[in-house]
Amino acid sequence: MGLLRNSICAMALSLFAASAGNAATLLEPTLHLKPQGAEGGGRVALTLDACGGKTDTRILSALVDNRIPATIFVTGIWLKRNAEAVEIMRAHPDLFELENHGGRHIPAVDTPRKIYGIRSAGSPGAVQAEVESGAAALAGAGGQAPKWFRGATAEYSPSAIAMIRKLGFKIAGFSVNGDGGSLLGAKETARRIGAAKDGDVIIAHINQPTHAAGEGVVQGLLALKQKGMTFVRLDDAEGIGNDGTTD
């Protein structure tokens, strides 16, 4: 009995260690632009996630009124609910680049777990379905086929990254977390975005119109514009990501 108990305990410890090892392998990739350096006053890429819900018209109006380009990562869920906002974005192709945020806003992690309370895809097939359904939703909404993908929570398993790259997408990390998932206040959001440097890729959200963070996004962007920073979309710049996300 003692040997059996020891064997069971050893097996349980082994399974726990394997599970902990898998948990530790999640990656949150970064992405930077090639710096302008002496060529200009600096440039940044603004990326905005549209996960679900509605549209923060404070941000959308500010982008249009101030001619600030942005890359918008949209889910199939958001596309269905925000036809008017999509129409505005499509009417300004020089400003807005729509990219793939997945069909149902499911983290691109091919083992079962939760990330920030959101259940992962859980299998390679489910990751592929999330990516392809997001691309199909964008195709159905018209416009160019997406070239970039950003998964829900922006965390990935290494094997999912490899799969997404094989599907033909670059993966959009970031270097400045502007609004903390749209949970930060206006002041802190404005401070983070306003502090962006040459080559930074900013992530924030455009789907939470009732959150104070949206006001901060606008304030931070206008502060960068006042400093003479140039804004570019991901397709208009050479983005360099780690963890095999762009090479």
Side-chain angles (χ1 to χ4, degrees), residues 20-37:
N22 286 336
T25 60
L26 287 192
L27 302 172
E28 187 179 270
T30 61
L31 182 66
H32 290 85
L33 308 180
K34 186 177 180 180
Q36 270 193 315

Side-chain angles (χ1 to χ4, degrees), residues 155-214:
E155 294 198 5
Y156 311 81
S157 49
S159 48
I161 287 176
M163 173 187 292
I164 295 164
R165 294 292 289 123
K166 287 181 180 178
L167 290 172
F169 293 94
K170 293 181 179 180
I171 296 172
F174 56 92
S175 59
V176 174
N177 186 340
D179 64 358
S182 194
L183 298 177
L184 294 176
K187 184 176 180 180
E188 176 61 14
T189 299
R191 185 195 68 79
R192 290 189 179 195
I193 292 176
K197 300 292 191 292
D198 182 23
D200 273 330
V201 175
I202 302 165
I203 183 175
H205 292 75
I206 195 170
N207 66 306
Q208 296 289 356
T210 64
H211 289 196

Side-chain angles (χ1 to χ4, degrees), residues 34-161:
K34 186 177 180 180
Q36 270 193 315
E39 298 175 10
R43 61 179 184 170
V44 296
L46 171 65
T47 68
L48 295 168
D49 288 0
C51 311
K54 299 181 180 180
T55 303
D56 192 331
T57 55
R58 296 170 297 180
I59 299 174
L60 182 57
S61 295
L63 297 178
V64 173
D65 292 344
N66 292 279
R67 309 300 299 166
I68 296 175
T71 302
I72 316 293
F73 283 90
V74 300
T75 65
I77 297 169
W78 185 88
L79 282 171
K80 288 179 181 178
R81 299 173 180 171
N82 293 272
E84 185 176 347
V86 173
E87 185 176 347
I88 292 171
M89 293 176 185
R90 295 296 192 202
H92 297 278
D94 56 326
L95 295 181
F96 299 109
E97 169 192 344
L98 272 59
E99 297 289 351
N100 187 356
H101 198 31
R104 297 189 295 139
H105 199 248
I106 299 172
V109 174
D110 53 17
T111 54
R113 60 176 299 165
K114 285 188 177 180
I115 303 100
Y116 301 119
I118 304 176
R119 192 177 301 279
S120 68
S123 70
V127 171
Q128 182 171 345
E130 171 71 357
V131 176
E132 292 183 335
S133 62
L138 271 166
Q144 296 181 342
K147 300 175 184 177
W148 291 85
F149 175 81
R150 175 181 286 154
T153 76
E155 294 198 5
Y156 311 81
S157 49
S159 48
I161 287 176

Side-chain angles (χ1 to χ4, degrees), residues 205-225:
H205 292 75
I206 195 170
N207 66 306
Q208 296 289 356
T210 64
H211 289 196
E215 179 185 345
V217 170
V218 173
Q219 292 173 355
L221 294 175
L222 294 181
L224 287 177
K225 185 178 180 182

